[in-house]
Amino acid sequence: MVTDTEWKAIIENNPSYDDQFRYAVKTIKIFCRPSCPSRPPKRENITVYYDFTEPEKDGFRPCKRCQPNGKPVDDTLWVEEIDTILQEQYAENLTLKELAYLAHGSESHLRHVFKKVTQKTPSQRLLDIRLTAAKKALLPSDKTIS
C-alpha cells in the first residue's frame, strides 16, 4: 500500500524522493522516479520499491520519460510495448496523446521512434490491427461489411 508521503511525492513530482524509492504502475507495467512528469496513475495501481533493482525483476520496464535507471530505454523494446498497447486496446478511441501517456513518452518522440523502427506511424499500425480484427470477425460469419 502506498503511504500518504509516497503518494504526495508522486503527485507533486518531488525530486527530493528520487534517491529514496521508485514506483511501478501495475496497469502499464512501467516504473518511474517520483519526479516523473507523466500524468499520475491511480493510487491503487501503484507499487513502491525501495530496492531499485526489484521493479525490473518483477517485470516492469523503466519509464522512457524519467529513465529511472539513469539510462535510455531501448527503442525496439519500447516499440514492442507500444504495439502491445495498440493490440490490446484497438477497439477503444486511442489517440496519440493517450498512447503516449500509456507508454510513458512524448507524442512526437513516440511517433518518430515508432515510425523509425516499424516504417509505419502508430495510426497506420492501429488501422492495420483494426482491419485484421474486422476481417477475422467477418470471414466466418454471414455479416456484411456495413
Side-chain angles (χ1 to χ4, degrees), residues 73-143:
V73 175
D74 176 75
D75 285 345
T76 304
L77 178 65
W78 194 42
V79 166
E80 288 173 10
E81 179 184 330
I82 294 164
D83 196 64
T84 299
I85 293 168
L86 291 171
Q87 290 178 42
E88 291 175 353
Q89 300 187 21
Y90 73 90
E92 298 175 23
N93 184 18
L94 193 59
T95 65
L96 186 60
K97 182 177 183 175
E98 183 66 16
L99 183 60
Y101 163 72
L102 293 171
H104 277 220
S106 72
E107 294 173 48
S108 60
H109 187 64
L110 182 147
R111 188 177 190 285
H112 172 76
V113 169
F114 195 89
K115 185 158 186 169
K116 181 179 81 174
V117 173
T118 67
Q119 277 65 62
K120 290 184 176 190
T121 67
S123 297
Q124 290 168 326
R125 175 65 178 135
L126 183 58
L127 180 60
D128 288 347
I129 292 167
R130 287 176 173 162
L131 289 173
T132 300
K135 181 180 176 182
K136 188 176 177 181
L138 287 171
L139 281 177
S141 75
D142 293 333
K143 295 179 181 176

Side-chain angles (χ1 to χ4, degrees), residues 24-31 55 58-63 81 102:
V25 184
K26 298 171 197 169
T27 52
I28 55 175
K29 302 298 286 177
I30 292 173
F31 72 99
D58 286 348
F60 293 97
R61 169 188 72 75
C63 173
E81 179 184 330
L102 293 171

